[in-house]
Amino acid sequence: MLIPITIVSLIQFDVINLNKNSNEKINNLIFKDSLEKRSQQDQEIITKTKKVQEEANSTKQEFWKQNEALNSKNKPNRLSSSNTSEKNRIQQQTKVSNKSNTNSNFNSHKLNQVKLDSIKLSSFGIIKNELILNPELMEKEDEHQTNKDSKLNWAVKPFFGSNLMQPLHKEHPLASANPNLSQNFQLNYSYGAQFFIQLDKKFWLYTGIAFQNYSYQAKHINISPERTPSLMHYINTRSNNFVSQQTIENFSNSSEEITLNYKLDYYEIPIMASYKVIDKKLNIFAEGGGSVLHLRNNNVSMSNYNDKDLNLGEFNIFNNSHFTLQAGLLAELPLSKKFSLEAEGLYKYHFNVMDNVNTYSINFNLGVKYKFKY
């Protein structure tokens, strides 16, 4: 029996608009509809059975009328034989009818059971007002689900931040010749982009590129050429042909001590692991790893007591490349399924910034992460 038009419309609407998270609700609707269909079919069977029985009773009454007519003509032997034959015929017809209806009921129930068992809501279509499986759509859905599951979770995050580098103090090459040497922090900046790949629900790996700027001051540097090592010993004159001992003495304005201003720019390539330790509205990650830094700009200037600056060029005390070990925490605030706001704090220990000289820096970064599958 056909499904009523209103129920079909509701099912079609649900089929088109409900997503995979509504499977359970649609299954319940299908099961309820199938039970209604089965009840209607059972009612049909009962009605047909009653109709057959009524026909059989009608036939039986006609038979008795004929039998009485035959009795009135004094044909008892023939009538008795015909009566027995007709009774057998009616009984046989009734049995065949009941058996046919029983088989029909069983087959109908079996068909409904097969339909119910086969509908798993992976993919289905509506054909002739019946909800049935569509093998082609089911195959495409399975292929789509397989491809979706095989894709990896990726993310990209541009960021901007600030950093502080610990001055070198006693490890500074000029420290031995300048016992009054002192250095201080200066707030610097960094920026770049990071690229992530998710290995499981809590574990991420990422790399990227960052531009790190470090600057600090070294004060009370004696410019006397008699000091060993002297200031001129560490100046790369090829980067500035106009610098000489006489130029420095003239700029110092008869003062024996000046201040050096360091400005160092690095390319940094990190390799980091990130593990989610708190999974709440505000997610917290523990991070650890390392990075390689390559010096792209090395500039040192000196200033006198009049706060005037003289560019000295490059200082040849810094290595072109060095590496770090780093660890820190990251806080993630999800804005949507794909976007999140992240704040990060990292402690970086720098190895061989100068020959056999190590130091550390503290970095604070803020960025927006975009997640996608590929």
Side-chain angles (χ1 to χ4, degrees):
M1 186 177 181
L2 296 178
I3 305 172
I5 296 176
T6 57
I7 297 179
V8 173
S9 299
L10 288 174
I11 295 177
Q12 288 177 336
F13 181 80
D14 288 341
V15 167
I16 295 171
N17 292 282
L18 290 179
N19 55 27
K20 294 179 183 179
N21 294 327
S22 303
N23 287 351
E24 182 178 355
K25 183 177 178 181
I26 300 179
N27 272 323
N28 292 334
L29 181 61
I30 295 171
F31 183 76
K32 181 179 178 181
D33 181 67
S34 179
L35 289 179
E36 292 177 356
K37 287 173 60 181
R38 180 181 170 186
S39 177
Q40 292 172 357
Q41 290 172 350
D42 290 342
Q43 188 65 33
E44 271 189 352
I45 293 170
I46 294 172
T47 303
K48 288 180 180 178
T49 303
K50 288 182 178 180
K51 186 176 181 180
V52 171
Q53 289 176 350
E54 290 174 356
E55 290 177 355
N57 291 332
S58 177
T59 304
K60 186 176 180 180
Q61 290 176 0
E62 290 178 2
F63 165 74
W64 286 115
K65 289 180 181 179
Q66 293 178 2
N67 188 30
E68 288 176 359
L70 290 174
N71 285 334
S72 64
K73 294 180 180 180
N74 297 320
K75 296 180 180 179
N77 293 333
R78 183 178 180 183
L79 182 60
S80 177
S81 175
S82 176
N83 184 21
T84 303
S85 176
E86 189 67 12
K87 282 183 179 181
N88 291 337
R89 186 181 67 81
I90 293 171
Q91 291 177 356
Q92 186 68 24
Q93 182 179 356
T94 303
K95 289 181 180 180
V96 170
S97 177
N98 291 336
K99 184 177 180 181
S100 176
N101 290 333
T102 303
N103 289 337
S104 176
N105 186 19
F106 174 78
N107 291 334
S108 176
H109 172 71
K110 184 176 179 181
L111 179 60
N112 290 336
Q113 187 67 32
V114 170
K115 286 183 179 180
L116 276 175
D117 290 343
S118 62
I119 293 174
K120 300 300 181 184
L121 272 150
S122 295
S123 191
F124 52 88
I126 295 178
I127 300 176
K128 294 182 180 179
N129 294 331
E130 284 192 354
L131 192 62
I132 63 173
L133 285 174
N134 187 326
E136 294 181 359
L137 289 177
M138 186 175 181
E139 184 178 351
K140 290 180 180 180
E141 175 67 18
D142 291 341
E143 183 180 354
H144 174 73
Q145 185 65 31
T146 301
N147 293 336
K148 186 176 180 180
D149 293 340
S150 63
K151 291 181 178 180
L152 296 174
N153 292 322
W154 298 80
V156 60
K157 181 180 76 173
F159 69 91
F160 182 84
S162 59
N163 60 68
L164 294 169
M165 176 177 275
Q166 168 67 25
L168 304 175
H169 290 293
K170 295 181 180 180
E171 292 83 2
H172 196 286
L174 294 174
S176 60
N178 298 273
N180 295 326
L181 183 145
S182 65
Q183 302 179 79
N184 62 348
F185 284 101
Q186 286 188 344
L187 187 63
N188 308 294
Y189 63 89
S190 61
Y191 61 93
Q194 296 170 343
F195 305 95
F196 298 76
I197 180 172
Q198 187 175 21
L199 302 183
D200 61 29
K201 291 183 179 180
K202 293 187 175 183
F203 193 68
W204 291 79
L205 289 178
Y206 69 88
T207 184
I209 185 168
F211 299 92
Q212 301 285 355
N213 170 267
Y214 297 106
S215 61
Y216 60 95
Q217 290 181 331
K219 297 181 178 181
H220 308 299
I221 302 295
N222 195 299
I223 63 173
S224 173
E226 298 177 357
R227 297 293 180 100
T228 305
S230 66
L231 178 61
M232 281 298 300
H233 177 75
Y234 292 107
I235 295 177
N236 184 356
T237 55
R238 288 177 299 178
S239 64
N240 190 348
N241 295 326
F242 299 100
V243 176
S244 64
Q245 180 64 33
Q246 187 63 43
T247 304
I248 294 175
E249 291 178 357
N250 292 339
F251 181 79
S252 65
N253 201 16
S254 301
S255 175
E256 292 186 356
E257 292 184 347
I258 50 91
T259 298
L260 293 179
N261 304 300
Y262 298 90
K263 290 185 179 180
L264 306 174
D265 295 327
Y266 288 92
Y267 296 110
E268 181 181 24
I269 299 177
I271 299 177
M272 298 286 289
S274 181
Y275 184 80
K276 185 185 292 185
V277 293
I278 298 178
D279 190 357
K280 300 288 184 180
K281 292 184 178 179
L282 181 66
N283 301 319
I284 304 297
F285 292 81
E287 298 185 308
S291 66
V292 175
L293 288 91
H294 181 75
L295 186 63
R296 68 187 183 97
N297 184 33
N298 169 11
N299 185 69
V300 178
S301 63
M302 60 178 287
S303 57
N304 57 23
Y305 289 105
N306 294 325
D307 292 329
K308 293 182 179 180
D309 292 335
L310 174 65
N311 184 27
L312 300 179
E314 295 182 356
F315 240 36
N316 55 19
I317 60 176
F318 298 102
N319 292 325
N320 286 330
S321 297
H322 71 274
F323 70 97
T324 71
L325 290 179
Q326 47 191 288
L329 293 175
L330 180 143
E332 177 191 43
L333 179 63
L335 304 176
S336 66
K337 289 184 177 180
K338 292 187 176 182
F339 288 94
S340 60
L341 182 65
E342 295 187 346
E344 178 184 40
L346 289 172
Y347 173 88
K348 300 182 181 182
Y349 193 83
H350 298 252
F351 294 88
N352 291 321
V353 178
M354 305 175 190
D355 290 338
N356 300 317
V357 176
N358 305 327
T359 187
Y360 68 87
S361 65
I362 299 174
N363 289 60
F364 299 94
N365 299 322
L366 186 66
V368 177
K369 181 187 286 185
Y370 172 74
K371 300 175 183 178
F372 60 95
K373 284 183 176 289
Y374 184 77

